[in-house]
Amino acid sequence: RRRAALRHNNENYLHLLFRWDGTVFRVLVNDALLYVTVIIYICVRIQARVGLPAFVESLSSSDIAIVGGFLSFFLVLFVNQSNARF
């Protein structure tokens, strides 16, 4: 698969990016967890447009910054673990 991808390196960047063979698109189409998380995200966004619950409005920006810091840390940790496999 790697050699097949290398043969197509002279193609347009977007065409190469959205190729079906040798990419993760085939796995993503069959992944139920992806669909569940997208549906949860859409539901949360719709709920945020309709109106936020009282406990969410009472959160200060520093609370959200702390949670964002933890999420960033775990994202970096996950990427490092993923790249270590290769």
Side-chain angles (χ1 to χ4, degrees):
R1 291 185 187 197
R2 185 170 187 267
R3 289 182 189 213
L6 288 174
R7 279 185 290 204
H8 298 288
N9 67 352
N10 293 331
E11 294 180 5
N12 185 5
Y13 177 71
L14 289 176
H15 186 264
L16 185 63
L17 186 63
F18 292 110
R19 288 186 61 82
W20 184 260
D21 295 329
T23 61
V24 297
F25 287 135
R26 185 175 296 160
V27 176
L28 289 178
V29 167
N30 296 327
D31 190 13
L33 184 62
L34 175 71
Y35 294 117
V36 170
T37 55
V38 168
I39 289 170
I40 290 172
Y41 175 76
I42 290 171
C43 292
V44 167
R45 294 303 300 167
I46 289 172
Q47 181 65 30
R49 294 245 179 198
V50 172
L52 293 173
F55 72 91
V56 174
E57 292 177 354
S58 67
L59 290 175
S60 67
S61 62
S62 64
D63 295 335
I64 296 172
I66 291 171
V67 172
F70 279 118
L71 287 176
S72 298
F73 171 75
F74 287 122
L75 178 65
V76 169
L77 185 68
F78 174 74
V79 169
N80 282 336
Q81 293 288 328
S82 298
N83 288 334
R85 289 186 287 169
F86 300 108

